[in-house]
Amino acid sequence: MKPPHEHPAGTSPLLVLISTGPQKYREYLLASISTRYRIHLVNTTEPSWESPYLVGSTVVPTTDLEHVSAAAAAVAAREPVHGVLSWDEARVHQAAAVAAELGLPTTDADAVWRCRDKHQTRAALAAADLPQPGFALVGGVAEALAAADRIGYPVVVKPRAAAASYGVSLVRSAEAMTACFDFADEATVPHMPDYDQAVLVEEYLDGPEVSVDSVIVDGKVRPLFVGHKRTGFPPYFEETGHTVSHDDPLLADPEFLDVLQDVHTALGFTTGWTHTELKLSPSGAAKVIEVNARLGGDLIPYLGRLASGIDPGLVAAAVACGREPDLTADRNLVGAVRFLYVEHDDTVIDRVEFDASALPPQIDRTVVLAAPGDVVSPPPRGLLTGRVALATAVAPTAAECETALDAAAAALRIVERAADGRAGGGAS
């Protein structure tokens, strides 16, 4: 166990954080939380970039509940712990269980698992007669084909428990089912059982997809950020960008808000943060795709902060510690992110950079994701792993954000490494 950094005991609440996720996608949360909370990190590796934000850390051999629970108990034996938090899909269940063991605010761990296991989500929503696509749980290609015949093509084939749209495919025919089934069947995240039936076949809903990041206190859902998702590289659902507007009309739509509340009630989710994904029909009616028991990924909460001034890290930490979150907005803007890719499979990276002189003032930040020597491919080979850079923008309108992101994409320079190790041809 690493000793805490120097910090006067009791000056701010102590928060146990389980895992952090990638720096370039999650550091903004630690940076905010550390301004008002003392953070003790439990992870499988020694802290590196996280260190400036921590007062202590514990390295565990795995993030199985047994190890995480023992680590948190050891911290609590030294001084009071005020909250337990995780935004890592593979660790949210452990965080809920540990919080319950310590008598801290949390949603029941069974309800968190109900979100992680998408079949349990579907079953709970079906029991409450809530709007969602038709679905079937299957264990093999023959079952998947039979389910697709019942539901009607096209269908979505997805893993029962994964994340970030990995393993999800749009299947338009029986001929395409085998390859897509295997892709879904083999996709998973850590700490999930080896299910005999690990794949869901679902009705395809043809409409825009939105995500809602909400904070839940005493069972009441308070939606904060609505993200409009862009996907690409069909038949897969690679997430290529998101746009968040503070004055999104869905945040004032009574029917939409009722669905959101009823879904959380059906799942038994009472305390914490969720990222809910829904499809909208032409009439605007919403059907639930999934509910994740964590802050949204892909910088969506960060975009919400750009658009509204509401700080997602501080809100999530406050709820985890039983404090009233500050949901005061101080601006009414739009935030957007776009992910950028190479053009060809097996591109060997020499360097990736942006021409700063070509970036408009609406660009908030540019981030290079690929390192020299990396071999990257666009989807489908590079699903999730093919991103080489991202850019975020903030402006009064979504159109202005898109124009700025177009400029950022044009300003991207990808220099490929030639076979002799020297910088070769470039792509932009």
Side-chain angles (χ1 to χ4, degrees):
M1 182 175 294
K2 184 176 179 179
H5 295 181
E6 285 191 335
H7 198 296
T11 57
S12 56
L14 179 60
L15 183 71
V16 170
L17 176 67
I18 302 173
S19 186
T20 60
Q23 178 181 9
K24 293 176 181 179
Y25 287 95
R26 295 301 196 180
E27 185 173 11
Y28 76 96
L29 293 169
L30 263 72
S32 289
I33 294 171
S34 66
T35 63
R36 298 187 190 176
Y37 296 82
R38 292 174 298 131
I39 304 172
H40 185 103
L41 176 64
V42 177
N43 207 354
T44 55
T45 58
E46 288 283 354
S48 53
W49 62 268
E50 305 98 334
S51 294
Y53 308 115
L54 307 179
V55 297
S57 64
T58 304
V59 176
V60 290
T62 74
T63 49
D64 290 340
L65 179 56
E66 176 186 2
H67 295 115
V68 171
S69 178
V75 176
R78 296 197 307 270
E79 63 173 304
V81 171
H82 299 85
V84 179
L85 180 63
S86 183
W87 46 73
D88 185 324
E89 179 70 20
R91 281 92 188 175
V92 290
H93 177 258
Q94 295 91 309
V98 169
E101 290 174 356
L102 297 178
L104 299 172
T106 186
T107 286
D108 184 84
D110 287 345
V112 171
W113 192 264
R114 205 170 291 128
C115 296
R116 285 210 63 204
D117 181 343
K118 293 176 174 59
H119 179 250
Q120 287 195 34
T121 301
R122 288 275 174 252
L125 300 188
D129 197 26
L130 292 174
Q132 62 178 335
F135 68 95
L137 179 66
V138 300
V141 174
E143 291 180 36
L145 289 167
D149 285 340
R150 289 195 304 273
I151 294 169
Y153 289 99
V155 294
V156 175
V157 178
K158 63 198 294 186
R160 180 175 179 170
S165 299
Y166 187 68
V168 184
S169 305
L170 178 62
V171 179
R172 296 188 177 276
S173 67
E175 291 73 21
M177 178 63 78
T178 299
C180 293
F181 178 87
D182 289 343
F183 181 45
D185 195 38
E186 294 165 5
T188 187
V189 294
H191 305 302
M192 292 301 294
D194 184 14
Y195 292 113
D196 291 332
Q197 293 181 297
V199 175
L200 284 165
V201 177
E202 297 185 350
E203 172 191 6
Y204 173 63
L205 304 176
D206 188 10
E209 185 169 346
V210 299
S211 64
V212 186
D213 276 82
S214 306
V215 63
I216 298 89
V217 178
D218 294 330
K220 179 176 175 55
V221 179
R222 298 152 89 170
L224 301 180
F225 312 134
V226 174
H228 292 259
K229 181 188 297 188
R230 298 176 70 172
T231 61
F233 304 99
Y236 307 105
F237 292 85
E238 175 83 2
E239 298 179 13
T240 60
H242 306 270
T243 302
V244 177
S245 304
H246 175 53
D247 64 350
D248 195 295
L250 289 173
L251 291 171
D253 183 326
E255 291 184 10
F256 184 82
L257 298 179
D258 284 347
V259 167
L260 205 58
Q261 179 65 63
D262 291 345
V263 164
H264 285 76
T265 300
L267 293 172
F269 200 101
T270 60
T271 305
W273 188 293
T274 61
H275 178 77
T276 305
E277 299 180 0
L278 310 98
K279 276 288 191 84
L280 304 178
S281 70
S283 67
K287 290 189 177 184
V288 180
I289 301 301
E290 63 185 47
V291 181
N292 303 283
R294 55 169 172 78
L295 288 97
D298 276 358
L299 297 173
I300 295 172
Y302 175 78
L303 301 179
R305 189 177 78 180
L306 290 180
S308 69
I310 298 170
D311 192 306
L314 292 179
V315 170
V319 174
C321 292
R323 295 183 157 198
E324 180 64 26
D326 182 2
L327 306 182
T328 305
D330 62 14
R331 68 199 74 164
N332 185 8
L333 298 171
V334 179
V337 63
R338 185 178 299 178
F339 304 106
L340 304 170
Y341 302 80
V342 295
E343 293 183 0
H344 308 291
D345 284 347
D346 301 322
T347 298
V348 182
I349 299 296
D350 184 77
R351 65 184 184 274
V352 178
E353 57 196 18
F354 287 87
D355 178 0
S357 67
L359 297 175
Q362 294 84 359
I363 291 298
D364 165 65
R365 61 191 293 215
T366 57
V367 179
V368 172
L369 301 173
D374 284 353
V375 180
V376 295
S377 301
R381 184 181 296 182
L383 284 170
L384 296 185
T385 63
R387 297 171 176 176
V388 295
L390 66 84
T392 59
V394 59
T397 67
E400 290 174 85
C401 285
E402 287 304 304
T403 299
L405 293 173
D406 287 342
L412 179 68
R413 301 289 180 263
I414 302 171
V415 179
E416 300 178 28
R417 184 170 294 181
D420 61 4
R422 299 180 182 180
S428 62

